[in-house]
Amino acid sequence: MAGFRALSTVDVIRVAIKSYLQPSSQDSPDLSQLDQICWSSSVSFSEEDIKDVELVHLLLVSAENIGSQQYDRASKLLDKCDHFSSTTGNSVQRMIHHFSKALRERLNRETGRIISKEVKGEEIMKLILNPQEQMGSSNHAFIACYKQVPFYQATLFAGIQAIIENVAAAKRIHIIDLAIRTGTHWMVLMQALSTRQECPLELLKITMVGVTSNQKLEETGKRLVYFAETLNLPFSFKIGMLADLQDLKEDIFEINEGEVIAVYSPALLSYIATQRDRLETLITVLTNINPCVMVVTEVEANHHLQTFEERFFEALFHYSAAFDCLEVCMPRCDTNRTIFEEICTGLDWWKLSSAHHPCFKQNW
């Protein structure tokens, strides 16, 4: 079939999953029922639409075969996924490339080709709290995506606005950032605070939680200090060092009398949701310091469902929406987009399919 592409990435995933769940569907999707699956008989599906549905179906069957320990068959299907997907193709092909890579790692773990070692608390903290340590020189890619993708900006400004509204009457403000990354989001807050007339600011303090004092974190602090100076804003920056989240205590933040506290958590809770000790420690400390507001910008995706099949479907829908957005906002040839997709899928796949997830060993 020729014609314009009728299906978004989300639609492709929906069609592929519905077709896959039909009893008549085995190694390939039943494309004769595509119209009924899409709730319309008037849509003209392009050849690209059909190939994308077939590609997702291949991935689903691969995952099922891994779950049923049919490893040789799964490996051959993943070879096909790798052949028809790429990091430079359309949004479906790009997404399937990363999922196929992750399934291959799961297959290799289960077959003993790679040894699954225990992830230590320090390594988890590096992954979650200081993702820039895993990113290398890719901070530029994150900044580029934040500038070009609207929903990142909307999330950022909504969170900053919530803090501004809750600290409107405070003269001494203490921000606790649980994953500061580049720190550019706090420049927006600084600009807003520098224009306050009725309640002049005495001090803005930002404390970030880190696991190792490295050059990137220190550069972030220096950049924020310099920006505050250009606004003539009283400012201090501190890194609270930890080896593990279980070591977190209130005194690491050096909270002084009269400070109004706000907590910013862009990406943490979903990563530790299955780590009860760390989650309880964090909640206890945050309760004790009694912030006036806590901003959580987690994406609404339930990656902690009971079975791997449920988590896998949830992740497919989550990433299909994200890759659709990137497809609209950034060119396929943009290197920053490619780097951003690689890092984000890599970090989130850790919590979806890691051998340390409590449901990892459950079959499909």
Side-chain angles (χ1 to χ4, degrees):
M1 296 181 187
F4 294 105
R5 187 174 181 187
L7 302 177
S8 66
T9 309
V10 175
D11 291 331
V12 169
I13 300 300
R14 183 180 293 111
V15 170
I17 289 178
K18 285 197 172 186
S19 175
Y20 164 78
L21 293 176
Q22 292 177 9
S24 60
S25 178
Q26 297 296 327
D27 291 342
S28 60
D30 183 2
L31 296 176
S32 65
Q33 301 187 39
L34 195 59
D35 293 341
Q36 289 79 4
I37 293 173
C38 291
W39 310 291
S40 174
S41 59
S42 61
V43 177
S44 178
F45 299 103
S46 69
E47 183 177 345
E48 185 178 18
D49 288 327
I50 294 174
K51 287 183 177 179
D52 285 345
V53 172
E54 291 174 338
L55 179 58
V56 176
H57 191 275
L58 270 177
L59 185 81
L60 292 169
V61 177
S62 302
E64 180 184 16
N65 288 162
I66 292 174
S68 59
Q69 299 182 350
Q70 299 180 56
Y71 299 124
D72 289 340
R73 190 163 183 268
S75 182
K76 292 177 181 178
L77 291 174
L78 288 177
D79 287 341
K80 291 184 179 181
C81 288
D82 294 340
H83 178 73
F84 292 110
S85 65
S86 74
T87 59
T88 57
N90 65 31
S91 53
V92 174
Q93 294 164 358
R94 298 164 84 107
M95 189 179 77
I96 297 306
H97 169 84
H98 294 293
F99 271 77
S100 177
K101 179 180 177 181
L103 283 177
R104 178 79 66 180
E105 180 177 345
R106 180 185 173 105
L107 185 153
N108 289 338
R109 281 177 175 167
E110 294 196 3
T111 56
R113 291 171 187 164
I114 60 175
I115 299 175
S116 178
K117 64 177 183 178
E118 181 182 359
V119 178
K120 298 179 181 179
E122 181 179 352
E123 294 172 325
I124 294 173
M125 290 295 292
K126 286 181 180 180
L127 178 68
I128 299 170
L129 298 181
N130 299 139
Q132 59 266 51
E133 292 186 3
Q134 317 299 317
M135 296 173 194
S137 60
S138 57
N139 273 346
H140 182 72
F142 266 76
I143 294 173
C145 288
Y146 271 83
K147 286 182 177 179
Q148 297 180 59
V149 180
F151 73 77
Y152 289 126
Q153 297 180 37
T155 300
L156 170 65
F157 285 110
I160 298 300
Q161 183 61 35
I163 293 176
I164 291 172
E165 293 175 357
N166 281 273
V167 300
K171 293 185 177 181
R172 302 181 69 85
I173 302 170
H174 189 166
I175 306 293
I176 295 174
D177 194 330
L178 297 180
I180 200 164
R181 293 194 170 98
T182 63
T184 53
H185 49 293
W186 295 125
M187 295 180 182
V188 179
L189 177 69
M190 289 178 180
Q191 288 177 317
L193 294 176
S194 67
T195 61
R196 290 200 326 191
Q197 300 294 331
E198 297 181 358
C199 185
L201 189 69
E202 294 180 2
L203 178 65
L204 171 64
K205 181 195 298 184
I206 294 179
T207 300
M208 72 153 293
V209 178
V211 291
T212 54
S213 181
N214 60 40
Q215 184 178 357
K216 289 185 180 296
L217 300 183
E218 293 170 358
E219 287 176 355
T220 295
K222 290 178 181 178
R223 185 164 53 247
L224 292 176
V225 169
Y226 174 77
F227 188 76
E229 289 176 350
T230 65
L231 299 174
N232 198 27
L233 196 73
F235 176 73
S236 70
F237 179 84
K238 180 181 180 296
I239 302 173
M241 304 310 303
L242 291 174
D244 191 288
L245 195 59
Q246 288 177 291
D247 299 330
L248 185 66
K249 298 184 185 302
E250 296 91 279
D251 56 11
I252 195 174
F253 302 121
E254 297 182 4
I255 298 171
N256 297 319
E257 187 176 354
E259 293 180 348
V260 175
I261 302 167
V263 176
Y264 186 74
S265 177
L268 174 61
L269 298 181
S270 63
Y271 283 91
I272 64 171
T274 60
Q275 303 170 36
R276 180 169 297 180
D277 292 343
R278 293 183 176 91
L279 183 60
E280 289 181 355
T281 297
L282 177 64
I283 292 175
T284 298
V285 171
L286 294 180
T287 300
N288 291 340
I289 65 177
N290 191 28
C292 70
V293 61
M294 178 173 178
V295 174
V296 178
T297 57
E298 300 281 357
V299 177
E300 291 187 26
N302 192 349
H303 291 166
H304 301 286
L305 294 167
Q306 182 63 25
T307 67
F308 180 75
E309 178 186 31
E310 292 175 313
R311 298 199 307 279
F312 195 76
F313 288 169
E314 181 75 13
L316 282 172
F317 280 117
H318 164 59
Y319 279 109
S320 62
F323 275 65
D324 263 340
C325 188
L326 290 169
E327 180 82 350
V328 172
C329 299
M330 303 184 74
R332 294 180 183 178
C333 60
D334 192 324
T335 304
N336 289 321
R337 173 183 170 183
T338 304
I339 295 172
F340 184 81
E341 290 171 345
E342 174 73 27
I343 293 171
C344 287
T345 52
L347 289 177
D348 278 350
W349 187 261
W350 176 86
K351 67 184 178 186
L352 174 72
S353 67
S354 166
H356 312 286
H357 193 291
C359 299
F360 177 79
K361 295 184 180 299
Q362 293 187 5
N363 288 338
W364 179 264

